[in-house]
Amino acid sequence: MALPQIRAGVGLSDGATTWVVNAYGLAFGAPLLAGQRTCSAPRRSLPPRRPW
């Protein structure tokens, strides 16, 4: 991972780097989990389809 080079280039401390990694995980992980949960909902909870 390129985190040491990014940290040195931006001038972040070890603690700030941890915050950046955690924020990145929350920002991109939470919508992925929510979308997966929504897409895998059972079809039987929806109203039945019309045959036409």
Side-chain angles (χ1 to χ4, degrees), residues 3-4 6-21:
L3 205 51
I6 294 170
R7 183 181 52 181
V10 178
L12 295 174
S13 66
D14 288 338
T17 306
T18 302
W19 277 98
V20 169
V21 170

Side-chain angles (χ1 to χ4, degrees), residues 23-45:
Y24 180 83
L26 286 174
F28 292 101
L32 284 173
L33 287 174
Q36 184 270 336
R37 188 103 161 125
T38 302
C39 291
S40 67
R43 296 263 317 147
R44 64 176 174 248
S45 65

